[in-house]
Amino acid sequence: MRSVTQSSVTALAAALLLSACTTSPNGRPAASAEAPPAPGLAPAASPQELVAKVDIPYEKFVLANGLTTIVHTDRKAPIVGVTLYYKVGSKNEPRGKTGFAHLYEHLFFGGSANVPNFDIPLEGAGSTSTNGSTWYDRTNYVETVPTGALDLALFMESDRMGALLPAVTQDKLDKQRGVVQNEKRQGDNQPYGLAEYLTAEGLFPVGHPYRHSTIGSMADLDAATLADVQKWFTDHYGPNNVVLVLSGDIDATTARPMVEKWFGAIRRGPEVAPVAAGPVTLSAPVSREMTDQVPVLRISRDWSGPGLNDADAVALRIGMHILGGLSSSRLDNALVRGNQMAVSVRASAMVFEQSSFLNATMDVKPGVDRAAAEAELDRVMAEYIAKGPTEDEVRRAVTSVLSGEIGGLEQVGGFSGKGATLAEGEVYSGDPAKYKADLQAIAALSPPTVHAALRKWLGRPVYKLAVVPGVRTEDGATMGGWGDEDTTPRKAVAKSAKAAKIGPAPRRTAPPVAPVGALAFPSIERTTLSNGIPVALARRTGVPKLVMAIDFDAGFAADALDTPGTQGLMLDMLDEGTKTRNATQIAEEQERLGASIRTDASLDSSSLVVSALSANLAPSLALASDMLLHPAFAPADFERARGQAMAELAQAQSTPSALAGHTLNAELFGDHPYAQPGDGLGTETSLAALTPQALSAAHAKWVRPDLARITVVGDVTMEQLKPLLEQSFGAWKAPAAPRPNKPLDAAVPAPSARVVLIDRPNSPQSVILAGRVLPLTGRTPGEEPLMLANDVVGNGFLSRLNADIREDKGWSYGVRSGVTQNSGPRVIEVMAPVQADRTGDSVRAVIQNMSAFPARSPITTAEFQRVTEGAIRALPTQFETNAAVLSAIIRNDRLGRPEDYYVRLAQTYRGIDAERIGGAARQYLQPNDLTWIIVGDRKIVEPQLKGLGLPVEVRPAPTGGDDATDGE
């Protein structure tokens, strides 16, 4: 992965496990696992009806050189998803070369014989940011482009497939090696970040293809040579080892000559030898313990399982979803809501081509005896394995999974869109429609089938891992490799393995980019409910679903009038129980309906967000209304929810980036309402002071119809929608008390250049977060030049900060800057996770890059084209999903923009010249007076800061969950 850390399974498995890795909500335990639906709820659509709605028609052809191409036509927008899957991943790496498949993926973006830079032409043509990812079984590359740029994308993809090696240099290899090593440091630096190494080591023997990590070991990455690059390319990157999917505004008749033209002359490569990578049964149970800088004890139970083509794979996915993926899962009901021994639980089947990882995890509530927690986890699991799931559990799990798969049909490209689904079916099963067979199998599942798979695979000896809070004793740099490095010396590189000289490739010229039409943003219908709540609807019929947000003018800034943490905990409790439903019943009803009802918040807004199948809208709204209007705030539920909030706070303060974010607002805003932590968690002290009565009072103050706005996007008409909204919310009356007012115009402290260093020992990386309040608000009109200036400086892969600190220097996995879009004062922020020994140098690099623009380094022609015309051409790719359209409408309403803002944005950008962009950078994006939050190891970092000329305040990292406020 190039720009974000992502563990990608198959696109289908990601949909099937859409909620298997989320922390579970809380609530009172249900009296029975077979609790019936609440009165008045209509029957949900059947699994068979849902499966019938999932269809991705395609055509397939194979070139003479073996390149397989799949074409899916979707004319909803003038865009095409370009998806390539190379049938090689980390499981194909030999000993001593761990991490190489992923390192090579990074090099694949470094330019080819006729394409000096892969990103600049495509982003200039309006492509989404190009990206790639690597895992055990494959390496994939994705971009979504305007239809007029498809020819260019195919030219570029074919050039790196056929002519990469002449452009690969030692300098490029060294720089990308540094980037990948910082990607590894970034993952290792997280709480529990080393656990996955131990899990793979415990489940598989040395030499098993799924044992070593995809990121590899530092030693193996250091040893990678140009000869390795050449051999990997020659052995694995032939067209006969590739599946290309074109999905969107394209058809096979048009696509075939384009694919023939650009890829047809590339020579077939050798066939990739298959590897044996099946599941392994341990001879006896194994237990392992690791001490780490984590907030709570985490215990897990793991097995290897079958690959995705095994008959048991589908049943195990659903079985593990019932165990710990559903909101009403067995583990949630027993350990979180029941005896309250856990603050969170989860279970999943992470399914790969030849094996899977079956996992159940419990984060133990502080103060609970470890032995008792382990015994209870084992008891719940043993009972589940012995008796199996109920009919109702299977039905709810199947419905929620199928609803998620329907939602996945919105995207044509990307890592989890329709292109990836078709590609993975072809790559792993020889059938692009494998997703359909899997969904039909899911719909047909019965409790005995799921039970049999659970008994078979979870009845084997288990691997037990406990991650215990304390000082980190393991070194991630030495982990992730083959596993026998301590006993078997590395082989010396033979002289014959030196890189061969590569001759020039045939010259080819990039094709022109065709014009792009104007953005077709959905039309918006508006109405008002009888109680005055404004409603906006954008109808989109691409999928039979919709998403709705009820937004309140509150948000975390409202805590300035209450107690820090109030708004977040109050919202968390909306699914904890109502006057007539407990938390388990709420969760089960959502699952039966294939709905998702969740709360969300920002500094400005508090929201209830509903994702529902159009056929089940009425009962979904009835449930959402009950949750929003009639929360119980029962004392027992409150104590459990507050305990989870404290655990979440402790987790945030153990995570370097989250800790920096939790700290910054208070340093910038003083007594302003925006001084509240951006995560809404408050502090340990403030959470301890809250009561059920305080939350009930906050609900009455802020959750009221005269502060509300409803926005809906999806497959519903206003004639259908408004009566249902009236039925659910129309009788809701505003209280007599006046509307609360957040003083967003309050003064903010004058900015001051300084460093707050939060000492987090044993950190291989430092997280740098810098910010300054700007003298404008989100409602200040005409600030588009500022957004374009920030695109040049730090927003995107091609930005100056990322190009310098990541791509040129190799000190980071990714650097970015952003300008917040709050309703009140806006902030310029810079985020840079960097290797610890380059912390001071990275601060200097940020200062140098920002101060140079525009005085010493004005915007270039290529940059200007990318951030203006490139952004205009990319507009159709920005609103592919209902959720994206929803966010745009809400943002326009909140910031006082016209509803055709995005339609007019192309005209706005074309009216901005280079001088205005430079002027915005000069006025707002200079590094003067930035406040720097740095989370890292003081003994490594502090000496590097002495030459910066900035005052430095050192604080210890939190140890219990409260903020570190005492400096020195």
Side-chain angles (χ1 to χ4, degrees):
M1 180 72 73
R2 304 176 65 217
S3 57
V4 292
T5 302
Q6 175 173 326
S7 297
S8 65
V9 161
T10 68
L12 177 61
L16 295 180
L17 297 173
L18 73 162
S19 59
C21 296
T22 58
T23 52
S24 45
N26 316 298
R28 297 183 295 278
S32 167
E34 297 281 358
L41 286 186
S46 71
Q48 288 73 23
E49 290 173 321
L50 295 179
V51 169
K53 298 178 184 295
V54 182
D55 187 35
I56 313 174
Y58 68 90
E59 294 184 61
K60 182 174 82 171
F61 57 87
V62 181
L63 301 190
N65 60 11
L67 175 68
T68 298
T69 302
I70 299 168
V71 181
H72 163 66
T73 303
D74 181 342
R75 303 289 189 185
K76 71 180 178 185
I79 60 176
V80 180
V82 180
T83 306
L84 290 94
Y85 270 62
Y86 287 76
K87 303 175 189 177
V88 60
S90 61
K91 73 180 182 185
N92 301 97
E93 296 164 348
R95 184 184 183 279
K97 307 296 183 186
T98 65
F100 192 78
H102 175 240
L103 175 59
Y104 182 86
E105 173 222 313
H106 279 244
L107 286 167
F108 212 49
F109 289 91
S112 52
N114 299 291
V115 182
N117 184 291
F118 191 80
D119 298 279
I120 291 175
L122 278 177
E123 290 201 25
S127 172
T128 58
S129 294
T130 62
N131 215 333
S133 71
T134 307
W135 225 355
Y136 296 109
D137 303 313
R138 54 77 184 144
T139 308
N140 63 1
Y141 302 92
V142 299
E143 60 262 357
T144 299
V145 300
T147 307
L150 177 59
D151 210 30
L152 174 65
L154 294 178
F155 158 75
M156 296 178 69
E157 290 287 2
S158 66
D159 204 65
R160 63 179 178 178
M161 182 188 292
L164 180 83
L165 292 185
V168 177
T169 64
Q170 186 66 49
D171 181 61
K172 289 181 179 179
L173 173 59
D174 291 341
K175 288 175 178 176
Q176 289 307 311
R177 187 198 332 265
V179 172
V180 169
Q181 289 180 329
N182 274 298
E183 181 179 354
K184 177 178 170 66
R185 292 186 185 103
Q186 186 167 312
D188 293 351
N189 201 32
Q190 307 308 307
Y192 312 101
L194 306 183
E196 65 179 58
Y197 298 134
L198 296 187
T199 299
E201 291 172 10
L203 293 179
F204 297 110
V206 171
H208 190 285
Y210 288 178
R211 185 182 196 273
H212 65 272
S213 73
T214 298
I215 199 75
S217 71
M218 286 294 192
D220 284 353
L221 291 170
D222 279 332
T225 67
L226 277 179
D228 294 328
V229 173
Q230 293 174 353
K231 181 172 175 54
W232 193 263
F233 177 86
T234 302
D235 289 351
H236 302 109
Y237 269 64
N240 48 305
N241 196 40
V242 182
V243 171
L244 165 66
V245 181
L246 304 177
S247 50
D249 185 25
I250 187 69
D251 54 64
T253 301
T254 305
R256 181 156 193 156
M258 298 170 73
V259 175
E260 289 272 11
K261 174 184 177 181
W262 296 118
F263 294 88
I266 301 174
R267 293 181 179 179
R268 175 184 289 266
E271 298 298 325
V272 176
V275 298
V280 175
T281 298
L282 301 178
S283 59
V286 177
S287 295
R288 178 77 184 270
E289 179 179 303
M290 175 174 63
T291 302
D292 200 2
Q293 294 169 196
V294 296
V296 298
L297 168 68
R298 173 171 291 178
I299 55 179
S300 61
R301 304 291 183 259
D302 295 273
W303 299 261
S304 65
L308 60 86
N309 290 308
D310 189 283
D312 288 334
V314 165
L316 279 172
R317 290 170 182 159
I318 293 299
M320 298 303 286
H321 199 50
I322 294 168
L323 175 63
L326 291 171
S327 295
S328 64
S329 73
R330 287 291 184 96
L331 294 179
D332 274 295
N333 287 344
L335 303 177
V336 178
R337 301 188 184 99
N339 57 34
Q340 300 182 36
M341 300 178 79
V343 292
S344 67
V345 292
R346 64 199 64 86
S348 66
M350 188 179 294
V351 186
F352 296 93
E353 183 178 15
Q354 294 170 271
S355 290
S356 56
F357 290 78
L358 309 176
N359 166 267
T361 296
M362 174 184 184
D363 286 351
V364 180
K365 184 178 180 179
V368 172
D369 177 71
R370 173 179 170 179
E374 298 218 40
E376 187 64 9
L377 173 63
D378 291 337
R379 183 196 67 78
V380 174
M381 293 189 64
E383 179 179 313
Y384 179 57
I385 295 168
K387 297 182 179 179
T390 66
E391 178 70 37
D392 185 57
E393 286 175 319
V394 172
R395 181 162 58 90
R396 287 187 282 111
V398 166
T399 302
S400 68
V401 161
L402 295 177
S403 176
E405 180 67 7
I406 290 173
L409 297 180
E410 288 189 278
Q411 287 189 286
V412 295
F415 286 122
S416 58
K418 292 189 283 187
T421 297
L422 293 172
E424 297 201 346
E426 177 67 25
V427 168
Y428 300 141
S429 308
D431 178 12
K434 175 67 160 56
Y435 72 93
K436 185 170 291 188
D438 283 345
L439 295 178
Q440 290 168 344
I442 288 172
L445 281 173
S446 65
T449 303
V450 176
H451 187 200
L454 291 169
R455 283 202 316 268
K456 176 180 176 181
W457 293 98
L458 272 59
R460 301 175 300 147
V462 64
Y463 176 73
K464 301 180 178 181
L465 177 64
V467 184
V468 182
V471 177
R472 174 171 282 191
T473 56
E474 305 278 356
D475 181 6
T478 64
M479 305 171 78
W482 202 251
D484 63 352
E485 289 83 357
D486 292 340
T487 58
T488 308
R490 175 185 299 277
K491 293 182 180 179
V493 178
K495 291 183 179 180
S496 60
K498 289 185 178 179
K501 290 189 176 181
I502 305 296
R507 297 297 301 167
R508 302 197 305 168
T509 303
V513 177
V516 175
L519 172 68
F521 195 83
S523 60
I524 301 171
E525 298 178 74
R526 296 186 182 270
T527 189
T528 303
L529 299 187
S530 57
N531 60 358
I533 299 178
V535 177
L537 167 66
R539 189 181 184 208
R540 304 180 94 205
T541 58
V543 295
K545 294 189 72 171
L546 58 87
V547 60
M548 178 185 82
I550 308 177
D551 294 293
F552 298 89
D553 184 9
F556 300 138
D559 284 349
L561 305 182
D562 296 312
T563 299
T566 299
Q567 197 72 199
L569 187 55
M570 181 270 288
L571 292 170
D572 285 346
M573 289 206 65
L574 295 186
D575 64 2
E576 292 292 347
T578 70
K579 301 295 193 292
T580 57
R581 294 174 169 94
N582 63 32
T584 300
Q585 290 170 330
I586 290 172
E588 289 179 350
E589 288 181 22
Q590 291 183 66
E591 292 154 5
R592 291 188 187 99
L593 294 168
S596 168
I597 305 174
R598 62 178 177 83
T599 58
D600 195 10
S602 65
L603 280 173
D604 290 320
S605 302
S606 300
S607 308
L608 185 78
V609 182
V610 180
S611 174
L613 296 164
S614 299
N616 293 338
L617 178 57
S620 299
L621 287 178
L623 178 58
S625 173
D626 190 36
M627 293 169 59
L628 184 66
L629 305 186
H630 308 116
F633 297 117
D637 296 336
F638 166 79
E639 291 297 337
R640 181 178 60 255
R642 179 168 60 178
Q644 289 184 298
M646 286 187 170
E648 186 179 352
L649 174 63
Q651 173 75 10
Q653 295 187 330
S654 298
T655 305
S657 58
L659 175 57
H662 189 81
T663 305
L664 181 63
N665 281 358
E667 300 301 320
L668 296 182
F669 281 102
D671 296 326
H672 189 277
Y674 282 176
Q676 302 302 314
D679 53 23
L681 291 171
T683 68
E684 188 175 18
T685 301
S686 67
L687 289 174
L690 290 175
T691 64
Q693 293 76 22
L695 298 190
S696 181
H699 180 270
K701 180 193 296 186
W702 296 103
V703 181
R704 44 191 286 167
D706 53 348
L707 291 178
R709 180 181 295 273
I710 296 176
T711 310
V712 182
V713 179
D715 188 14
V716 66
T717 66
M718 185 63 85
E719 291 72 21
Q720 295 167 326
L721 176 66
K722 186 174 181 180
L724 295 177
L725 291 176
E726 285 284 3
Q727 182 179 343
S728 294
F729 302 104
W732 182 22
K733 303 302 181 185
R739 291 167 38 141
N741 176 53
K742 297 173 295 183
L744 298 185
D745 56 353
V748 298
S752 61
R754 59 199 174 97
V755 175
V756 176
L757 173 58
I758 301 177
D759 182 22
R760 186 177 184 269
N762 303 313
S763 296
Q765 268 196 339
S766 300
V767 169
I768 300 170
L769 178 61
R772 182 181 67 249
V773 180
L774 299 177
L776 50 88
T777 74
R779 300 179 71 88
T780 304
E783 293 302 332
E784 286 78 14
L786 170 60
M787 305 310 292
L788 299 184
N790 181 64
D791 288 345
V792 174
V793 171
N795 182 32
F797 188 80
L798 291 172
S799 69
R800 294 185 179 186
L801 290 175
N802 194 69
D804 181 28
I805 299 174
R806 171 186 156 135
E807 289 297 287
D808 185 57
K809 295 182 169 66
W811 296 343
S812 174
Y813 181 44
V815 181
R816 63 172 176 81
S817 67
V819 180
T820 63
Q821 291 191 316
N822 302 322
S823 300
R826 303 177 76 177
V827 174
I828 171 64
E829 294 180 353
V830 179
M831 169 68 84
V834 300
Q835 62 192 66
D837 62 349
R838 290 293 190 177
T839 306
D841 290 335
S842 297
V843 172
R844 291 184 183 89
V846 170
I847 293 172
Q848 290 166 2
N849 277 282
M850 295 182 73
S851 61
F853 179 44
R856 298 187 304 279
S857 180
I859 188 170
T860 67
T861 301
E863 287 173 330
F864 181 75
Q865 193 278 335
R866 172 173 60 84
V867 303
T868 54
E869 280 301 315
I872 291 168
R873 298 178 65 88
L875 284 172
T877 70
Q878 306 305 307
F879 303 107
E880 196 175 358
T881 67
N882 289 345
V885 174
L886 181 86
S887 296
I889 296 171
I890 292 172
R891 187 181 308 114
N892 284 345
D893 287 344
R894 179 172 54 81
L895 299 181
R897 296 169 173 172
E899 66 180 33
D900 65 346
Y901 174 83
Y902 289 101
V903 175
R904 293 163 50 185
L905 195 56
Q907 179 181 352
T908 301
Y909 282 174
R910 289 187 176 118
I912 298 172
D913 59 17
E915 183 175 347
R916 290 182 66 192
I917 295 174
R922 185 182 300 108
Q923 184 175 3
Y924 298 121
L925 301 184
Q926 297 308 296
N928 307 328
D929 298 326
L930 285 173
T931 294
W932 303 79
I933 310 296
I934 301 177
V935 181
D937 191 328
R938 176 184 183 178
K939 67 179 182 295
I940 298 174
V941 174
E942 190 174 20
Q944 302 176 52
L945 305 180
K946 295 187 181 301
L948 294 176
L950 298 172
V952 177
E953 175 189 354
V954 180
R955 302 176 186 174
T959 56
D962 210 344
D963 292 310
T965 55
D966 296 327
E968 59 178 76

